[in-house]
Amino acid sequence: MKSETIENHDTDTEEKTSGVVAIIQSVPRVLVPLFALFFLSFALLYATSAIVEFIKPILSDGDLTGGLVKGVHMGVVALAVYELAQVVHQEYDMSGKPSDAIRRIRRSVTRFASVVFVALVLESLIMVIKYSQQDLAGFLYYPVAIIASAALLLMSLGVFIKLSSSDTMEDCS
């Protein structure tokens, strides 16, 4: 009698566990496309805003430089958000093989860090142009700090790529 109770308990536990596993596996199928769509919609909003920010100063003041600066700034943000949407979609895509995980993560991190690096450098160049036009040389510390941060990011990305290369990964195992 005791063994039947233990077997029933084991069966109940397995059913509960399989139900939890099914829920855990079904949630990403819904949430991942929603997150990717969320980031994609924001990227499209930023891209539209970039066009508006580019045209608005030109039409109101005839300021082509101001329009370019604002448009490029918003365009870079749009690109970074789009890249984030792509990383979320690709990283959590159910068709990816688990053996590919390290290669996919390495590629995703490299692409996203590259976009952030470009955004930081462009932002600092925009600040340099803006401060030089307004004779605010005392504020050039900020773009220099941003360029130093971008350089640190680039060096860190190089270290990450080196440490995650297939040769290094084989040496560790």
Side-chain angles (χ1 to χ4, degrees):
M1 178 136 193
K2 239 182 185 180
S3 68
E4 289 175 10
T5 307
I6 292 173
E7 288 176 11
N8 288 341
H9 179 68
D10 289 344
T11 306
D12 291 342
T13 305
E14 287 177 17
E15 289 174 2
K16 288 178 185 176
T17 305
S18 65
V20 170
V21 169
I23 291 171
I24 290 173
Q25 289 175 346
S26 66
V27 167
R29 289 185 190 130
V30 174
L31 289 181
V32 169
L34 285 176
F35 277 123
L37 184 63
F38 175 76
F39 287 126
L40 181 62
S41 64
F42 269 105
L44 292 173
L45 286 172
Y46 275 121
T48 304
S49 179
I51 293 169
V52 169
E53 290 294 323
F54 172 69
I55 293 173
K56 192 168 44 171
I58 295 172
L59 293 178
S60 65
D61 301 333
D63 185 18
L64 181 65
T65 306
L68 282 174
V69 166
K70 289 181 181 181
V72 167
H73 174 72
M74 292 301 287
V76 168
V77 172
L79 181 63
V81 174
Y82 174 75
E83 189 64 34
L84 183 59
Q86 219 175 14
V87 166
V88 166
H89 177 68
Q90 288 175 352
E91 184 59 34
Y92 295 102
D93 187 21
M94 295 302 157
S95 64
K97 298 179 183 104
S99 61
D100 270 346
I102 292 175
R103 186 176 57 83
R104 285 185 307 151
I105 290 171
R106 183 174 174 218
R107 184 181 60 216
S108 298
V109 167
T110 302
R111 283 180 21 203
F112 185 72
S114 299
V115 169
V116 171
F117 173 75
V118 168
L120 286 172
V121 170
L122 282 174
E123 182 67 27
S124 64
L125 290 175
I126 288 169
M127 289 174 75
V128 166
I129 291 169
K130 188 184 299 183
Y131 292 156
S132 66
Q133 287 177 345
Q134 298 174 356
D135 292 329
L136 297 172
F139 290 107
L140 288 177
Y141 295 113
Y142 300 116
V144 168
I146 292 173
I147 290 174
S149 300
L152 182 64
L153 174 67
L154 189 60
M155 289 186 290
S156 300
L157 180 61
V159 169
F160 172 76
I161 290 171
K162 176 64 178 162
L163 292 177
S164 67
S165 70
S166 58
D167 297 336
T168 307
M169 297 299 277
E170 289 171 4
D171 293 343
C172 292
S173 41

